Amino acid sequence: MTDVDASALRDEPVEVTVTASELVYEGRVWDVRSDTFVYGDDEIVRQYVDHPGAAAVVAIDDQERVLLIQQYRHPIGHRDWEIPAGLLDIAGEPPIDAARRELAEEADLDAERIEPLLSVFTTPGGNDEVVHIFLARGLRPASAAFAREAEEADIRVEWVPLADAVEAVMSGRMRNGILVAGILAAAELLRRS
C-alpha cells in the first residue's frame, strides 16, 4: 500500500456497457431492475432498486437544537428518529427545493438559509439512491400547516440539543443512516466554524 494524498480521495464514476436491462418490478415509489453489464473481462448480472433519490434537512435553531422527527417505518418495524426528508419525486425539482418542501410538509417550518451539507449513497450495493442533505438555519413557522396521512399522520417532532443527538448516534440509540450522516456532518461543520 502507498500513502494517498487525502485531498485526492473521492468516489470515481466508471463507464460500463450495459448489455441488457430488465424492469423486474414496478413499484409505487421505486422499481427493481436487473442489469447485465460488462466490467473488465466479465459479463455480470446485478439486481438493484432503481430509486429517484431524496433530499433531507438538518434544521438547527438559534439555541443549537436540531429538529428530529419520529415516524413508523414498516421495513424495520420501528418508529425511528429521522431528519425531515422526502423523495425527489417532482419532475425537474432541484434537491434544495425538495428539502424546503419536506421541511414545510413534515415540520411546518420554513428556513431563511438553507445550504448543501453533503450527499450520500445510502446502499450502493443494492440501490442507486442518492440523498442530498442540507443545513437549514433561520427557522420560522411555515405559512400553512400540512395535512399528514399514513405513516406521517402521527409524526412526533422534537427539538434536541445537537450534542445530545450526536451522543444518541454514537451510542447506537439512533440508527437511521440519513440522520446519522446529517447530524455528524452538521456537528463537524459547526465545530469548524
Side-chain angles (χ1 to χ4, degrees):
M1 292 183 75
T2 61
D3 289 334
V4 175
D5 174 13
S7 66
L9 291 173
R10 62 183 34 95
D11 296 334
E12 300 173 0
V14 176
E15 294 290 327
V16 298
T17 301
V18 177
T19 58
S21 185
E22 175 189 358
L23 178 63
V24 175
Y25 172 79
E26 184 174 4
R28 186 181 72 79
V29 176
W30 52 73
D31 301 331
V32 176
R33 301 200 68 79
S34 181
D35 285 359
T36 303
F37 60 96
V38 177
Y39 184 76
D41 294 331
D42 298 317
E43 187 167 72
I44 302 170
V45 177
R46 292 289 183 267
Q47 292 79 36
Y48 63 96
V49 173
D50 185 12
H51 195 285
V57 183
V58 177
I60 298 178
D61 70 8
D62 294 337
Q63 298 169 309
E64 300 297 316
R65 297 179 308 168
V66 63
L67 173 80
L68 300 180
I69 63 172
Q70 187 184 54
Q71 64 180 318
Y72 177 68
R73 294 299 188 183
H74 186 72
I76 61 172
H78 282 73
R79 286 179 50 84
D80 73 333
W81 286 104
E82 304 179 0
I83 55 177
L87 297 172
L88 298 178
D89 56 358
I90 297 176
E93 182 181 40
I96 194 167
D97 292 345
R100 286 185 184 282
R101 176 174 48 84
E102 290 299 329
L103 185 61
E105 288 179 5
E106 293 188 346
D108 299 323
L109 291 173
D110 289 328
E112 181 180 303
R113 299 177 312 282
I114 189 163
E115 62 188 79
L117 186 58
L118 73 155
S119 293
V120 296
F121 294 120
T122 58
T123 313
N127 73 51
D128 62 356
E129 179 183 24
V130 176
V131 178
H132 306 280
I133 304 174
F134 296 86
L135 178 64
R137 302 297 301 253
L139 304 167
R140 62 186 177 277
S143 57
F146 284 82
R148 296 178 184 89
E149 55 189 35
E151 294 97 334
E152 293 181 345
D154 65 348
I155 281 180
R156 178 179 168 193
V157 177
E158 294 289 340
W159 287 97
V160 176
L162 183 58
D164 292 352
V166 169
E167 177 56 34
V169 165
M170 297 306 294
S171 67
R173 297 190 321 267
M174 293 192 307
R175 299 179 290 174
N176 178 286
I178 298 165
L179 173 141
V180 169
I183 293 294
L184 296 180
E188 177 61 13
L189 181 71
L190 295 177
R191 184 191 68 78
R192 291 180 181 188
S193 60

Coordinates of all heavy atoms in Angstrom, one line a residue, residues 9-62:
L9 N -8.7 11.8 -2.4 CA -9.7 10.7 -2.1 C -11.1 11.2 -2.6 O -11.6 12.2 -2.1 CB -9.7 10.4 -0.6 CG -8.5 9.7 -0.1 CD1 -8.6 9.6 1.4 CD2 -8.4 8.3 -0.7
R10 N -11.7 10.4 -3.5 CA -13.0 10.7 -4.0 C -13.6 9.5 -4.7 O -12.9 8.7 -5.2 CB -13.1 11.9 -4.9 CG -12.3 11.8 -6.2 CD -12.3 13.1 -7.0 NE -12.3 14.3 -6.2 CZ -11.3 15.0 -5.9 NH1 -10.1 14.6 -6.3 NH2 -11.4 16.1 -5.2
D11 N -14.9 9.4 -4.7 CA -15.6 8.3 -5.4 C -15.3 8.6 -6.9 O -15.3 9.7 -7.3 CB -17.1 8.3 -5.1 CG -17.4 8.0 -3.7 OD1 -16.6 7.3 -3.0 OD2 -18.5 8.4 -3.2
E12 N -15.1 7.5 -7.7 CA -14.8 7.7 -9.1 C -15.9 7.0 -9.9 O -16.1 5.8 -9.8 CB -13.5 7.0 -9.4 CG -12.3 7.6 -8.6 CD -11.0 6.9 -8.8 OE1 -11.0 5.9 -9.5 OE2 -10.0 7.3 -8.2
P13 N -16.5 7.8 -10.8 CA -17.5 7.2 -11.7 C -16.8 6.2 -12.7 O -15.7 6.5 -13.1 CB -18.1 8.3 -12.5 CG -17.2 9.4 -12.3 CD -16.4 9.2 -11.1
V14 N -17.5 5.2 -13.1 CA -16.9 4.2 -14.0 C -18.0 4.0 -15.2 O -19.1 3.8 -14.9 CB -16.6 2.8 -13.3 CG1 -16.2 1.8 -14.3 CG2 -15.6 3.0 -12.2
E15 N -17.5 4.0 -16.4 CA -18.4 3.8 -17.5 C -18.4 2.3 -17.8 O -17.3 1.7 -17.9 CB -17.9 4.5 -18.8 CG -17.9 6.0 -18.7 CD -19.4 6.5 -18.7 OE1 -20.2 5.9 -19.4 OE2 -19.6 7.5 -18.0
V16 N -19.5 1.6 -17.8 CA -19.7 0.2 -18.2 C -20.6 0.1 -19.3 O -21.5 1.0 -19.5 CB -20.1 -0.7 -17.0 CG1 -19.1 -0.6 -15.9 CG2 -21.5 -0.3 -16.5
T17 N -20.6 -1.0 -20.1 CA -21.5 -1.2 -21.1 C -22.6 -2.1 -20.6 O -22.4 -3.3 -20.2 CB -20.8 -1.9 -22.3 OG1 -19.8 -1.0 -22.8 CG2 -21.8 -2.2 -23.4
V18 N -23.8 -1.6 -20.5 CA -25.0 -2.4 -20.1 C -25.5 -3.1 -21.4 O -26.0 -2.4 -22.3 CB -26.1 -1.5 -19.5 CG1 -27.3 -2.3 -19.1 CG2 -25.5 -0.8 -18.2
T19 N -25.5 -4.4 -21.3 CA -26.0 -5.2 -22.5 C -27.4 -5.5 -22.4 O -28.1 -5.8 -23.4 CB -25.1 -6.4 -22.7 OG1 -25.2 -7.2 -21.5 CG2 -23.7 -6.0 -23.0
A20 N -28.0 -5.5 -21.2 CA -29.4 -5.8 -21.0 C -29.9 -5.1 -19.7 O -29.2 -5.1 -18.8 CB -29.7 -7.3 -21.0
S21 N -31.1 -4.6 -19.7 CA -31.7 -4.0 -18.5 C -33.2 -4.4 -18.5 O -33.9 -4.1 -19.5 CB -31.5 -2.5 -18.5 OG -32.0 -2.0 -17.3
E22 N -33.6 -5.0 -17.5 CA -35.0 -5.5 -17.4 C -35.6 -4.9 -16.1 O -35.1 -4.9 -15.1 CB -35.0 -7.0 -17.3 CG -36.3 -7.7 -17.1 CD -36.2 -9.2 -16.8 OE1 -35.1 -9.7 -16.8 OE2 -37.3 -9.7 -16.6
L23 N -36.9 -4.4 -16.3 CA -37.7 -4.0 -15.2 C -38.3 -5.3 -14.6 O -39.1 -5.9 -15.2 CB -38.8 -3.0 -15.7 CG -39.7 -2.5 -14.6 CD1 -39.0 -1.7 -13.6 CD2 -40.8 -1.7 -15.2
V24 N -37.8 -5.6 -13.4 CA -38.3 -6.8 -12.7 C -39.6 -6.5 -11.9 O -40.5 -7.4 -11.9 CB -37.2 -7.3 -11.7 CG1 -37.7 -8.5 -10.9 CG2 -35.9 -7.7 -12.5
Y25 N -39.6 -5.4 -11.3 CA -40.8 -5.0 -10.5 C -41.0 -3.5 -10.6 O -40.0 -2.7 -10.4 CB -40.6 -5.4 -9.1 CG -41.7 -4.9 -8.1 CD1 -43.0 -5.5 -8.1 CD2 -41.5 -3.8 -7.4 CE1 -44.0 -5.0 -7.3 CE2 -42.5 -3.3 -6.5 CZ -43.7 -3.9 -6.5 OH -44.7 -3.4 -5.7
E26 N -42.2 -3.0 -10.9 CA -42.5 -1.6 -10.9 C -43.3 -1.3 -9.7 O -44.4 -1.8 -9.5 CB -43.3 -1.2 -12.2 CG -43.6 0.2 -12.3 CD -44.2 0.6 -13.6 OE1 -44.6 -0.3 -14.4 OE2 -44.4 1.8 -13.8
G27 N -42.7 -0.4 -8.8 CA -43.3 -0.1 -7.6 C -43.9 1.3 -7.6 O -43.7 2.1 -8.5
R28 N -44.6 1.7 -6.5 CA -45.2 3.0 -6.4 C -44.1 4.1 -6.2 O -44.2 5.2 -6.7 CB -46.2 3.0 -5.2 CG -47.0 4.3 -5.1 CD -47.9 4.3 -3.9 NE -47.2 4.4 -2.6 CZ -46.8 5.5 -2.1 NH1 -46.9 6.7 -2.8 NH2 -46.2 5.6 -0.9
V29 N -43.1 3.7 -5.4 CA -42.0 4.7 -5.1 C -40.8 4.4 -5.9 O -40.1 5.3 -6.4 CB -41.7 4.7 -3.6 CG1 -40.6 5.6 -3.3 CG2 -43.0 5.1 -2.8
W30 N -40.4 3.1 -6.0 CA -39.2 2.8 -6.7 C -39.4 1.5 -7.4 O -40.3 0.7 -7.2 CB -37.9 2.7 -5.8 CG -38.1 1.9 -4.6 CD1 -38.2 0.5 -4.5 CD2 -38.3 2.3 -3.3 NE1 -38.4 0.1 -3.3 CE2 -38.5 1.2 -2.5 CE3 -38.3 3.6 -2.7 CZ2 -38.7 1.3 -1.1 CZ3 -38.5 3.7 -1.3 CH2 -38.7 2.5 -0.5
D31 N -38.5 1.1 -8.3 CA -38.6 -0.1 -9.1 C -37.4 -1.0 -8.8 O -36.4 -0.6 -8.2 CB -38.5 0.3 -10.6 CG -39.6 1.2 -11.1 OD1 -40.7 1.2 -10.5 OD2 -39.4 1.9 -12.0
V32 N -37.5 -2.2 -9.2 CA -36.4 -3.2 -9.1 C -36.0 -3.5 -10.6 O -36.8 -3.8 -11.4 CB -36.7 -4.5 -8.4 CG1 -35.6 -5.4 -8.4 CG2 -37.1 -4.1 -6.9
R33 N -34.7 -3.4 -10.9 CA -34.1 -3.7 -12.2 C -33.1 -4.8 -12.1 O -32.5 -5.0 -11.1 CB -33.5 -2.4 -12.8 CG -34.4 -1.2 -12.9 CD -33.9 -0.2 -13.9 NE -33.9 -0.7 -15.2 CZ -35.0 -0.7 -16.0 NH1 -36.1 -0.3 -15.5 NH2 -34.9 -1.2 -17.2
S34 N -32.9 -5.5 -13.2 CA -31.9 -6.4 -13.4 C -31.1 -6.0 -14.6 O -31.6 -5.9 -15.7 CB -32.4 -7.8 -13.6 OG -31.4 -8.8 -13.7
D35 N -29.8 -5.7 -14.4 CA -28.9 -5.2 -15.4 C -27.8 -6.3 -15.7 O -27.3 -6.9 -14.8 CB -28.2 -3.9 -15.1 CG -29.1 -2.7 -15.2 OD1 -30.3 -2.8 -15.5 OD2 -28.6 -1.6 -14.9
T36 N -27.5 -6.5 -17.0 CA -26.4 -7.2 -17.4 C -25.4 -6.2 -18.0 O -25.8 -5.4 -18.8 CB -26.8 -8.3 -18.5 OG1 -27.8 -9.1 -17.9 CG2 -25.6 -9.1 -18.9
F37 N -24.1 -6.3 -17.5 CA -23.1 -5.3 -17.9 C -21.8 -5.9 -18.0 O -21.5 -7.0 -17.4 CB -23.1 -4.1 -17.0 CG -22.8 -4.4 -15.6 CD1 -21.5 -4.3 -15.1 CD2 -23.8 -4.8 -14.7 CE1 -21.2 -4.6 -13.8 CE2 -23.5 -5.1 -13.4 CZ -22.2 -5.0 -12.9
V38 N -20.9 -5.3 -18.8 CA -19.5 -5.7 -19.0 C -18.7 -4.9 -18.0 O -18.7 -3.7 -18.1 CB -19.1 -5.6 -20.4 CG1 -17.6 -6.0 -20.6 CG2 -20.0 -6.4 -21.3
Y39 N -17.9 -5.6 -17.2 CA -17.0 -4.9 -16.3 C -15.7 -5.7 -16.4 O -15.6 -6.9 -16.0 CB -17.5 -5.0 -14.8 CG -16.6 -4.2 -13.9 CD1 -16.6 -2.8 -13.9 CD2 -15.7 -4.9 -13.0 CE1 -15.8 -2.1 -13.0 CE2 -14.9 -4.2 -12.1 CZ -14.9 -2.8 -12.2 OH -14.1 -2.1 -11.3
G40 N -14.6 -5.0 -16.9 CA -13.4 -5.7 -17.2 C -13.6 -6.8 -18.3 O -14.2 -6.5 -19.3
D41 N -13.2 -8.0 -18.0 CA -13.4 -9.1 -18.9 C -14.7 -9.9 -18.6 O -14.9 -10.9 -19.3 CB -12.2 -10.0 -18.9 CG -11.0 -9.4 -19.4 OD1 -11.1 -8.4 -20.3 OD2 -9.9 -9.7 -19.0
D42 N -15.5 -9.5 -17.7 CA -16.6 -10.3 -17.2 C -17.9 -9.6 -17.6 O -18.1 -8.4 -17.6 CB -16.6 -10.4 -15.7 CG -15.4 -11.2 -15.2 OD1 -15.0 -12.2 -15.8 OD2 -14.8 -10.7 -14.2
E43 N -18.9 -10.5 -17.9 CA -20.3 -10.0 -18.0 C -21.0 -10.4 -16.7 O -21.0 -11.6 -16.3 CB -21.0 -10.7 -19.2 CG -22.3 -10.1 -19.5 CD -22.9 -10.5 -20.8 OE1 -23.3 -11.7 -20.9 OE2 -23.0 -9.7 -21.7
I44 N -21.6 -9.4 -16.1 CA -22.1 -9.6 -14.7 C -23.6 -9.2 -14.7 O -24.0 -8.3 -15.5 CB -21.4 -8.6 -13.7 CG1 -19.9 -9.0 -13.8 CG2 -21.9 -8.7 -12.3 CD1 -19.0 -8.0 -13.0
V45 N -24.4 -9.9 -13.9 CA -25.8 -9.6 -13.7 C -26.0 -9.1 -12.3 O -25.6 -9.8 -11.4 CB -26.7 -10.8 -14.0 CG1 -28.2 -10.5 -13.8 CG2 -26.5 -11.3 -15.4
R46 N -26.7 -8.0 -12.1 CA -27.0 -7.5 -10.8 C -28.4 -6.9 -10.8 O -28.8 -6.3 -11.7 CB -26.0 -6.3 -10.4 CG -24.6 -6.8 -10.2 CD -24.4 -7.6 -8.9 NE -23.0 -8.0 -8.7 CZ -22.5 -9.1 -9.1 NH1 -23.2 -10.0 -9.8 NH2 -21.2 -9.3 -8.8
Q47 N -29.1 -7.2 -9.7 CA -30.4 -6.6 -9.4 C -30.2 -5.5 -8.4 O -29.4 -5.7 -7.5 CB -31.4 -7.7 -8.9 CG -31.8 -8.8 -9.9 CD -30.8 -9.8 -10.1 OE1 -30.1 -10.2 -9.1 NE2 -30.6 -10.4 -11.3
Y48 N -31.0 -4.5 -8.6 CA -30.9 -3.4 -7.6 C -32.2 -2.6 -7.6 O -33.0 -2.7 -8.6 CB -29.8 -2.4 -8.0 CG -29.9 -1.8 -9.3 CD1 -30.4 -0.5 -9.5 CD2 -29.5 -2.4 -10.5 CE1 -30.5 0.1 -10.7 CE2 -29.6 -1.8 -11.7 CZ -30.1 -0.6 -11.8 OH -30.3 0.0 -13.1
V49 N -32.4 -1.8 -6.6 CA -33.5 -0.9 -6.5 C -33.2 0.4 -7.3 O -32.1 1.0 -7.0 CB -33.9 -0.5 -5.0 CG1 -34.9 0.6 -4.9 CG2 -34.3 -1.8 -4.3
D50 N -34.0 0.8 -8.3 CA -33.9 2.0 -9.0 C -34.7 3.1 -8.3 O -35.9 3.0 -8.3 CB -34.4 1.7 -10.5 CG -34.2 2.9 -11.4 OD1 -33.4 3.8 -11.1 OD2 -34.8 2.8 -12.5
H51 N -34.0 4.0 -7.7 CA -34.6 4.9 -6.8 C -34.5 6.4 -7.3 O -33.5 6.7 -7.9 CB -33.8 4.8 -5.4 CG -34.5 5.5 -4.3 ND1 -34.6 6.8 -4.1 CD2 -35.2 4.9 -3.2 CE1 -35.2 7.1 -3.0 NE2 -35.6 5.9 -2.5
P52 N -35.5 7.2 -7.1 CA -35.5 8.5 -7.6 C -34.6 9.5 -6.9 O -34.3 10.6 -7.4 CB -36.9 9.0 -7.5 CG -37.5 8.2 -6.4 CD -36.8 6.9 -6.5
G53 N -34.1 9.1 -5.7 CA -33.2 10.0 -4.9 C -34.1 10.7 -3.9 O -35.3 10.6 -3.9
A54 N -33.5 11.4 -3.0 CA -34.2 12.1 -1.9 C -33.4 13.4 -1.5 O -32.2 13.5 -1.8 CB -34.4 11.2 -0.8
A55 N -34.1 14.2 -0.7 CA -33.5 15.4 -0.1 C -33.9 15.3 1.4 O -34.9 14.8 1.8 CB -34.0 16.6 -0.7
A56 N -32.9 15.8 2.2 CA -33.2 15.8 3.7 C -32.6 17.1 4.3 O -31.8 17.7 3.6 CB -32.5 14.6 4.3
V57 N -33.1 17.4 5.5 CA -32.7 18.7 6.1 C -32.3 18.5 7.5 O -33.1 17.9 8.3 CB -33.9 19.6 6.0 CG1 -33.5 21.0 6.6 CG2 -34.4 19.8 4.6
V58 N -31.1 19.0 7.9 CA -30.8 19.1 9.3 C -31.1 20.6 9.6 O -30.5 21.5 9.2 CB -29.2 18.9 9.5 CG1 -28.9 19.1 11.0 CG2 -28.9 17.5 9.1
A59 N -32.2 20.7 10.4 CA -32.7 22.1 10.8 C -32.2 22.4 12.2 O -32.5 21.6 13.1 CB -34.2 22.1 10.7
I60 N -31.4 23.4 12.3 CA -30.8 23.8 13.6 C -31.3 25.2 14.0 O -31.2 26.1 13.2 CB -29.3 23.7 13.6 CG1 -28.9 22.3 13.3 CG2 -28.7 24.2 14.9 CD1 -27.4 22.1 13.2
D61 N -31.8 25.3 15.2 CA -32.3 26.7 15.6 C -31.2 27.5 16.3 O -30.1 27.0 16.4 CB -33.6 26.5 16.6 CG -33.3 25.9 17.9 OD1 -32.1 25.7 18.3 OD2 -34.2 25.6 18.6
D62 N -31.6 28.7 16.8 CA -30.6 29.6 17.4 C -30.0 29.1 18.7 O -29.0 29.6 19.2 CB -31.2 31.0 17.6 CG -31.6 31.6 16.2 OD1 -30.9 31.3 15.2 OD2 -32.5 32.5 16.2

